[in-house]
Amino acid sequence: MLAIDNLVKTFEADRKTRKQAKAARANGDNTEPARVFAVHNVSFEVKQGEMFTLLGPSGCGKTTTLRSIAGLEKPDSGRISVGERVLFEAAEAKSAVNMPANERGLGMVFQSYAIWPHMSVFDNVGFPLQVRKRSERPSKAEIADSVGRVLEVMELGHLADRQATKLSGGQQQRLALARAIVTQPSLLLLDEPLSNLDAKLRDSLRFELKRLQKDLGITSIYVTHDQVEALALSSHIAVMREGKVVQLGKPRDIYTNPNSRFVAEFIGTSNFLKGIVAGNDGECVTVDTSEGRLRVRSSSAVPVGSEAIVSIRPEAVEIGLIGAGGTVPNEWTGEVITRAFLGDSVDHVVKVGAAKVRNRSNPTVSIAPGTKVYLRMDPDKLSLVPVG
Protein backbone atom coordinates (compact mmCIF):
# COMPACT_ATOMS: atom_id res chain seq x y z
CA MET A 1 0.00 0.00 0.00
CA LEU A 2 2.71 2.46 1.10
CA ALA A 3 6.23 1.90 -0.19
CA ILE A 4 9.29 3.87 0.93
CA ASP A 5 12.46 3.21 -1.08
CA ASN A 6 15.92 4.47 -0.09
CA LEU A 7 14.65 7.71 1.41
CA VAL A 8 17.36 10.26 2.24
CA LYS A 9 16.99 13.66 3.92
CA THR A 10 19.90 15.79 5.12
CA PHE A 11 20.20 19.11 6.92
CA GLU A 12 23.08 21.49 7.41
CA ALA A 13 24.91 20.47 10.56
CA ASP A 14 24.03 23.37 12.86
CA ARG A 15 23.34 27.11 13.06
CA LYS A 16 27.04 27.96 13.15
CA THR A 17 27.64 25.91 10.01
CA ARG A 18 24.75 27.62 8.22
CA LYS A 19 26.10 31.05 9.09
CA GLN A 20 29.59 30.10 7.93
CA ALA A 21 28.22 28.73 4.66
CA LYS A 22 26.17 31.87 4.06
CA ALA A 23 29.20 34.08 4.70
CA ALA A 24 31.34 31.91 2.41
CA ARG A 25 28.80 32.16 -0.42
CA ALA A 26 28.74 35.94 -0.03
CA ASN A 27 32.51 35.87 -0.61
CA GLY A 28 32.17 33.73 -3.71
CA ASP A 29 32.96 30.36 -2.09
CA ASN A 30 30.41 27.84 -3.32
CA THR A 31 31.78 24.88 -1.36
CA GLU A 32 28.96 22.74 -0.03
CA PRO A 33 28.66 22.97 3.80
CA ALA A 34 28.77 19.90 6.01
CA ARG A 35 25.42 18.12 6.29
CA VAL A 36 23.98 15.53 8.64
CA PHE A 37 21.60 12.70 7.79
CA ALA A 38 18.16 13.01 9.34
CA VAL A 39 16.98 10.04 7.27
CA HIS A 40 19.56 7.72 5.73
CA ASN A 41 18.45 5.17 3.10
CA VAL A 42 15.21 4.24 4.85
CA SER A 43 13.06 1.61 3.13
CA PHE A 44 9.91 -0.20 4.26
CA GLU A 45 6.45 -1.22 3.08
CA VAL A 46 3.10 -0.91 4.83
CA LYS A 47 0.22 -3.18 3.87
CA GLN A 48 -3.41 -2.16 3.57
CA GLY A 49 -5.11 -1.79 6.96
CA GLU A 50 -1.92 -1.95 9.02
CA MET A 51 -0.91 0.25 11.95
CA PHE A 52 2.80 0.72 11.24
CA THR A 53 4.90 2.45 13.90
CA LEU A 54 8.14 4.39 13.59
CA LEU A 55 9.77 4.09 17.01
CA GLY A 56 12.94 5.65 18.32
CA PRO A 57 14.53 8.33 20.50
CA SER A 58 14.39 12.05 19.76
CA GLY A 59 16.43 12.96 16.71
CA CYS A 60 16.37 9.48 15.16
CA GLY A 61 14.52 10.63 12.00
CA LYS A 62 11.04 9.21 12.60
CA THR A 63 9.17 12.54 12.38
CA THR A 64 11.23 13.64 9.37
CA THR A 65 10.22 10.41 7.64
CA LEU A 66 6.57 11.05 8.47
CA ARG A 67 6.74 14.67 7.27
CA SER A 68 8.37 13.50 4.04
CA ILE A 69 5.42 11.16 3.43
CA ALA A 70 3.01 14.02 4.17
CA GLY A 71 4.79 16.39 1.78
CA LEU A 72 5.90 18.77 4.53
CA GLU A 73 9.58 17.95 3.93
CA LYS A 74 11.28 17.44 0.57
CA PRO A 75 13.71 14.50 0.69
CA ASP A 76 17.07 14.65 -1.06
CA SER A 77 16.51 11.32 -2.77
CA GLY A 78 14.37 8.20 -2.74
CA ARG A 79 10.83 7.26 -3.67
CA ILE A 80 7.47 7.42 -1.86
CA SER A 81 4.36 5.82 -3.30
CA VAL A 82 0.86 5.02 -2.09
CA GLY A 83 -0.71 2.29 -4.18
CA GLU A 84 -0.14 3.23 -7.81
CA ARG A 85 0.40 6.93 -7.02
CA VAL A 86 3.96 8.21 -6.77
CA LEU A 87 4.07 11.04 -4.21
CA PHE A 88 7.79 11.71 -4.43
CA GLU A 89 10.62 10.49 -6.60
CA ALA A 90 14.04 12.04 -7.03
CA ALA A 91 15.10 11.53 -10.63
CA GLU A 92 16.09 13.53 -13.67
CA ALA A 93 14.68 17.06 -13.56
CA LYS A 94 11.99 16.31 -16.13
CA SER A 95 10.80 13.08 -14.50
CA ALA A 96 11.14 14.04 -10.82
CA VAL A 97 7.92 13.95 -8.77
CA ASN A 98 7.08 15.99 -5.67
CA MET A 99 3.32 16.09 -5.23
CA PRO A 100 2.15 19.05 -3.06
CA ALA A 101 0.92 18.13 0.41
CA ASN A 102 -2.64 19.32 -0.30
CA GLU A 103 -2.89 16.98 -3.31
CA ARG A 104 -1.67 13.82 -1.59
CA GLY A 105 -5.03 13.06 0.03
CA LEU A 106 -3.53 11.98 3.34
CA GLY A 107 -4.86 12.58 6.85
CA MET A 108 -2.55 13.84 9.58
CA VAL A 109 -2.86 14.27 13.34
CA PHE A 110 -0.18 16.49 14.87
CA GLN A 111 1.30 16.32 18.34
CA SER A 112 -0.29 19.68 19.17
CA TYR A 113 -3.66 18.67 17.57
CA ALA A 114 -3.70 22.01 15.59
CA ILE A 115 -7.39 22.58 16.36
CA TRP A 116 -8.89 25.90 15.19
CA PRO A 117 -9.90 27.66 18.41
CA HIS A 118 -12.46 30.00 16.81
CA MET A 119 -14.51 27.13 15.38
CA SER A 120 -17.01 24.74 16.89
CA VAL A 121 -16.40 20.99 17.01
CA PHE A 122 -18.63 20.51 13.96
CA ASP A 123 -16.86 23.21 11.92
CA ASN A 124 -13.40 21.87 12.84
CA VAL A 125 -14.28 18.44 11.46
CA GLY A 126 -16.11 19.80 8.42
CA PHE A 127 -13.39 22.24 7.40
CA PRO A 128 -11.32 19.80 5.25
CA LEU A 129 -14.45 19.07 3.20
CA GLN A 130 -15.48 22.71 2.93
CA VAL A 131 -12.14 23.85 1.47
CA ARG A 132 -12.00 21.29 -1.32
CA LYS A 133 -12.04 22.45 -4.92
CA ARG A 134 -15.53 23.50 -5.97
CA SER A 135 -15.73 20.59 -8.41
CA GLU A 136 -14.90 18.09 -5.63
CA ARG A 137 -16.69 19.76 -2.73
CA PRO A 138 -19.63 17.81 -1.26
CA SER A 139 -22.96 19.54 -0.76
CA LYS A 140 -23.84 21.04 2.63
CA ALA A 141 -26.12 18.09 3.30
CA GLU A 142 -23.37 15.59 2.43
CA ILE A 143 -20.88 17.45 4.65
CA ALA A 144 -23.34 17.46 7.54
CA ASP A 145 -23.92 13.73 7.09
CA SER A 146 -20.20 12.88 6.90
CA VAL A 147 -19.30 15.03 9.90
CA GLY A 148 -22.19 13.67 11.94
CA ARG A 149 -21.17 10.06 11.31
CA VAL A 150 -17.52 10.69 12.19
CA LEU A 151 -18.44 12.56 15.37
CA GLU A 152 -20.65 9.67 16.46
CA VAL A 153 -17.79 7.20 15.87
CA MET A 154 -15.55 9.43 18.02
CA GLU A 155 -18.29 9.79 20.65
CA LEU A 156 -18.35 13.55 20.14
CA GLY A 157 -21.78 13.86 18.54
CA HIS A 158 -23.31 15.50 21.60
CA LEU A 159 -20.56 18.14 21.54
CA ALA A 160 -20.94 19.21 17.91
CA ASP A 161 -21.89 22.80 18.76
CA ARG A 162 -19.32 23.28 21.53
CA GLN A 163 -16.34 25.56 21.05
CA ALA A 164 -13.29 23.41 20.35
CA THR A 165 -11.20 25.06 23.07
CA LYS A 166 -13.74 24.01 25.71
CA LEU A 167 -13.04 20.31 25.24
CA SER A 168 -10.87 18.19 27.52
CA GLY A 169 -7.47 16.98 26.33
CA GLY A 170 -8.81 13.56 25.40
CA GLN A 171 -11.76 15.08 23.53
CA GLN A 172 -9.44 17.40 21.60
CA GLN A 173 -7.33 14.41 20.61
CA ARG A 174 -10.42 12.63 19.30
CA LEU A 175 -11.50 15.82 17.51
CA ALA A 176 -8.15 16.03 15.72
CA LEU A 177 -8.51 12.38 14.72
CA ALA A 178 -12.08 12.98 13.49
CA ARG A 179 -10.92 15.87 11.31
CA ALA A 180 -8.17 13.70 9.84
CA ILE A 181 -10.44 10.78 8.86
CA VAL A 182 -13.53 12.68 7.67
CA THR A 183 -12.05 12.85 4.16
CA GLN A 184 -11.58 9.06 4.16
CA PRO A 185 -7.83 9.31 3.46
CA SER A 186 -5.92 6.45 1.89
CA LEU A 187 -3.29 6.86 4.61
CA LEU A 188 -3.45 8.33 8.12
CA LEU A 189 -0.30 9.87 9.64
CA LEU A 190 -0.09 10.30 13.43
CA ASP A 191 2.77 12.26 14.98
CA GLU A 192 2.88 11.38 18.71
CA PRO A 193 -0.82 12.28 19.15
CA LEU A 194 -0.99 11.05 22.77
CA SER A 195 2.16 12.67 24.14
CA ASN A 196 0.37 15.74 25.55
CA LEU A 197 -2.03 13.69 27.68
CA ASP A 198 -1.61 12.51 31.26
CA ALA A 199 -0.59 8.89 31.81
CA LYS A 200 -4.03 7.50 32.71
CA LEU A 201 -5.82 9.18 29.81
CA ARG A 202 -3.04 8.19 27.42
CA ASP A 203 -3.45 4.58 28.48
CA SER A 204 -7.23 4.54 27.87
CA LEU A 205 -7.03 6.38 24.54
CA ARG A 206 -4.31 4.02 23.35
CA PHE A 207 -6.83 1.17 23.27
CA GLU A 208 -9.54 3.44 21.85
CA LEU A 209 -7.25 4.45 19.01
CA LYS A 210 -6.40 0.83 18.26
CA ARG A 211 -10.10 -0.09 18.19
CA LEU A 212 -10.97 2.79 15.87
CA GLN A 213 -8.13 2.05 13.49
CA LYS A 214 -9.14 -1.60 13.30
CA ASP A 215 -12.86 -0.89 12.90
CA LEU A 216 -12.32 1.76 10.21
CA GLY A 217 -9.60 -0.21 8.45
CA ILE A 218 -7.47 2.87 7.81
CA THR A 219 -3.83 2.24 6.96
CA SER A 220 -1.85 4.28 9.50
CA ILE A 221 1.72 5.39 10.21
CA TYR A 222 2.26 6.15 13.88
CA VAL A 223 5.31 8.01 15.24
CA THR A 224 6.27 7.65 18.90
CA HIS A 225 9.21 7.38 21.29
CA ASP A 226 7.03 5.44 23.76
CA GLN A 227 7.78 1.71 23.49
CA VAL A 228 4.58 0.77 25.36
CA GLU A 229 2.48 2.62 22.78
CA ALA A 230 4.38 0.96 19.96
CA LEU A 231 3.93 -2.54 21.39
CA ALA A 232 0.23 -2.00 22.16
CA LEU A 233 -0.83 -0.39 18.88
CA SER A 234 1.30 -1.74 16.08
CA SER A 235 0.99 -4.38 13.41
CA HIS A 236 4.67 -3.80 12.62
CA ILE A 237 7.38 -1.62 14.15
CA ALA A 238 10.41 0.00 12.55
CA VAL A 239 12.94 0.89 15.25
CA MET A 240 15.03 3.87 14.13
CA ARG A 241 18.41 5.15 15.26
CA GLU A 242 20.46 8.00 13.77
CA GLY A 243 18.31 8.17 10.66
CA LYS A 244 18.31 4.44 9.92
CA VAL A 245 15.90 1.55 10.48
CA VAL A 246 17.85 -0.83 12.72
CA GLN A 247 15.13 -3.47 13.15
CA LEU A 248 11.80 -4.09 11.46
CA GLY A 249 9.22 -6.65 12.53
CA LYS A 250 6.15 -7.54 14.55
CA PRO A 251 6.02 -6.15 18.12
CA ARG A 252 6.41 -9.54 19.82
CA ASP A 253 9.31 -10.55 17.58
CA ILE A 254 11.22 -7.34 18.23
CA TYR A 255 10.60 -7.53 21.97
CA THR A 256 11.61 -11.18 22.34
CA ASN A 257 14.39 -11.23 19.72
CA PRO A 258 16.10 -7.83 19.58
CA ASN A 259 18.90 -7.77 17.04
CA SER A 260 21.10 -5.35 19.01
CA ARG A 261 21.72 -4.08 22.50
CA PHE A 262 20.24 -0.72 21.47
CA VAL A 263 16.91 -2.31 20.50
CA ALA A 264 16.83 -4.48 23.63
CA GLU A 265 17.44 -1.44 25.86
CA PHE A 266 15.07 0.87 24.01
CA ILE A 267 12.15 -1.56 23.91
CA GLY A 268 11.65 -2.52 27.52
CA THR A 269 14.21 -3.37 30.19
CA SER A 270 16.86 -6.08 29.95
CA ASN A 271 19.65 -7.67 31.93
CA PHE A 272 22.81 -7.97 29.82
CA LEU A 273 25.42 -10.59 30.68
CA LYS A 274 28.65 -10.94 28.71
CA GLY A 275 30.31 -14.29 28.22
CA ILE A 276 32.12 -16.73 25.94
CA VAL A 277 30.31 -19.28 23.77
CA ALA A 278 31.13 -22.71 25.19
CA GLY A 279 28.90 -24.78 22.91
CA ASN A 280 26.45 -24.58 19.99
CA ASP A 281 24.42 -27.59 18.87
CA GLY A 282 22.26 -25.68 16.37
CA GLU A 283 19.32 -25.44 18.76
CA CYS A 284 20.89 -24.10 21.95
CA VAL A 285 23.92 -21.91 22.55
CA THR A 286 25.81 -22.35 25.82
CA VAL A 287 27.44 -19.21 27.17
CA ASP A 288 29.86 -19.14 30.09
CA THR A 289 29.60 -15.89 32.06
CA SER A 290 31.53 -14.82 35.15
CA GLU A 291 28.37 -15.53 37.18
CA GLY A 292 27.64 -18.95 35.75
CA ARG A 293 26.64 -20.91 32.65
CA LEU A 294 23.56 -20.01 30.59
CA ARG A 295 21.80 -21.99 27.89
CA VAL A 296 19.98 -19.90 25.26
CA ARG A 297 17.55 -21.34 22.73
CA SER A 298 19.00 -20.06 19.46
CA SER A 299 19.82 -21.34 15.99
CA SER A 300 22.38 -18.58 15.44
CA ALA A 301 25.65 -19.70 13.91
CA VAL A 302 27.72 -18.33 16.79
CA PRO A 303 31.16 -19.99 16.81
CA VAL A 304 32.50 -21.60 19.98
CA GLY A 305 35.03 -19.34 21.69
CA SER A 306 33.48 -16.09 20.48
CA GLU A 307 32.15 -13.36 22.76
CA ALA A 308 28.41 -13.09 23.26
CA ILE A 309 25.89 -11.02 25.18
CA VAL A 310 22.80 -12.68 26.66
CA SER A 311 19.73 -10.44 26.94
CA ILE A 312 17.32 -11.42 29.73
CA ARG A 313 14.01 -9.62 30.24
CA PRO A 314 13.12 -9.13 33.94
CA GLU A 315 9.85 -11.01 33.50
CA ALA A 316 11.83 -13.99 32.14
CA VAL A 317 13.61 -14.33 35.50
CA GLU A 318 11.75 -16.50 38.01
CA ILE A 319 12.56 -15.97 41.68
CA GLY A 320 12.00 -18.35 44.59
CA LEU A 321 13.18 -19.42 48.01
CA ILE A 322 13.61 -23.10 47.09
CA GLY A 323 15.94 -24.39 44.39
CA ALA A 324 15.44 -27.23 41.92
CA GLY A 325 18.67 -28.98 42.92
CA GLY A 326 20.29 -28.64 39.51
CA THR A 327 17.48 -30.42 37.65
CA VAL A 328 16.68 -27.39 35.49
CA PRO A 329 19.01 -25.27 33.33
CA ASN A 330 19.98 -21.70 34.16
CA GLU A 331 19.40 -21.83 37.92
CA TRP A 332 21.52 -19.38 39.91
CA THR A 333 21.63 -18.39 43.57
CA GLY A 334 21.88 -14.83 44.79
CA GLU A 335 20.77 -12.33 47.39
CA VAL A 336 18.03 -9.74 47.09
CA ILE A 337 19.54 -6.27 47.51
CA THR A 338 16.44 -4.15 46.81
CA ARG A 339 12.81 -4.41 45.74
CA ALA A 340 10.20 -2.01 44.39
CA PHE A 341 6.40 -2.33 44.38
CA LEU A 342 5.07 -1.09 41.01
CA GLY A 343 1.37 -1.78 41.49
CA ASP A 344 0.89 -4.52 38.91
CA SER A 345 4.28 -6.08 39.65
CA VAL A 346 7.22 -6.20 42.06
CA ASP A 347 10.78 -5.72 40.85
CA HIS A 348 13.65 -7.38 42.73
CA VAL A 349 17.32 -6.68 42.13
CA VAL A 350 19.38 -9.75 43.00
CA LYS A 351 23.16 -9.79 43.43
CA VAL A 352 24.71 -12.82 41.74
CA GLY A 353 28.47 -12.67 42.00
CA ALA A 354 29.48 -9.32 40.57
CA ALA A 355 26.26 -8.99 38.55
CA LYS A 356 22.92 -7.45 39.48
CA VAL A 357 19.99 -9.27 37.92
CA ARG A 358 16.57 -7.66 37.79
CA ASN A 359 13.45 -9.79 38.21
CA ARG A 360 9.82 -8.75 37.65
CA SER A 361 7.21 -10.80 39.51
CA ASN A 362 3.53 -10.99 40.30
CA PRO A 363 2.67 -8.39 43.01
CA THR A 364 1.93 -11.24 45.44
CA VAL A 365 5.65 -12.13 45.37
CA SER A 366 7.68 -9.77 47.54
CA ILE A 367 10.97 -10.91 49.06
CA ALA A 368 12.82 -8.79 51.58
CA PRO A 369 16.36 -7.50 50.91
CA GLY A 370 19.05 -9.72 52.37
CA THR A 371 17.18 -12.94 51.55
CA LYS A 372 18.96 -15.77 49.71
CA VAL A 373 17.00 -16.68 46.56
CA TYR A 374 17.15 -18.91 43.53
CA LEU A 375 16.82 -17.49 40.01
CA ARG A 376 15.64 -19.59 37.08
CA MET A 377 15.77 -18.41 33.46
CA ASP A 378 13.97 -20.38 30.76
CA PRO A 379 16.34 -20.87 27.75
CA ASP A 380 13.40 -20.17 25.39
CA LYS A 381 12.96 -16.68 26.89
CA LEU A 382 16.59 -15.55 26.58
CA SER A 383 18.18 -14.07 23.47
CA LEU A 384 21.64 -13.40 22.10
CA VAL A 385 22.55 -9.92 20.87
CA PRO A 386 25.67 -8.90 18.93
CA VAL A 387 28.60 -7.81 21.09
CA GLY A 388 29.09 -4.67 18.98
Side-chain angles (χ1 to χ4, degrees), residues 319 321 334-341 346-351 366-373:
I319 191 170
L321 300 176
E335 181 180 311
V336 176
I337 57 175
T338 187
R339 61 180 170 178
F341 175 67
V346 172
D347 277 16
H348 299 87
V349 177
V350 180
K351 184 174 177 59
S366 184
I367 302 174
T371 305
K372 179 183 176 181
V373 293

Side-chain angles (χ1 to χ4, degrees), residues 34-45:
R35 302 183 72 83
V36 294
F37 284 96
V39 178
H40 194 179
N41 289 329
V42 166
S43 299
F44 59 83
E45 292 187 4

Side-chain angles (χ1 to χ4, degrees), residues 3-55:
I4 307 291
D5 297 302
N6 299 315
L7 198 68
V8 174
K9 174 64 179 177
T10 62
F11 294 101
E12 290 180 9
D14 51 36
R15 183 178 297 179
K16 182 178 180 181
T17 302
R18 290 194 294 270
K19 286 185 177 180
Q20 290 173 344
K22 185 176 180 180
R25 284 193 292 269
N27 293 325
D29 184 356
N30 293 320
T31 303
E32 285 293 322
R35 302 183 72 83
V36 294
F37 284 96
V39 178
H40 194 179
N41 289 329
V42 166
S43 299
F44 59 83
E45 292 187 4
V46 181
K47 296 180 181 179
Q48 181 71 41
E50 278 192 329
M51 173 71 88
F52 187 96
T53 296
L54 299 174
L55 174 68

Side-chain angles (χ1 to χ4, degrees), residues 205-218:
L205 286 178
R206 185 183 301 141
F207 290 98
E208 181 68 9
L209 181 58
K210 183 173 184 177
R211 181 189 66 80
L212 287 169
Q213 189 272 335
K214 186 176 181 181
D215 289 350
L216 297 173
I218 298 178

Side-chain angles (χ1 to χ4, degrees), residues 47 67 107 129 152 157 166 169 209 221 240 251 269 279 309 320 367:
K47 296 180 181 179
R67 289 173 61 85
L129 299 174
E152 287 302 322
K166 295 183 179 179
L209 181 58
I221 309 292
M240 297 189 69
T269 304
I309 296 177
I367 302 174

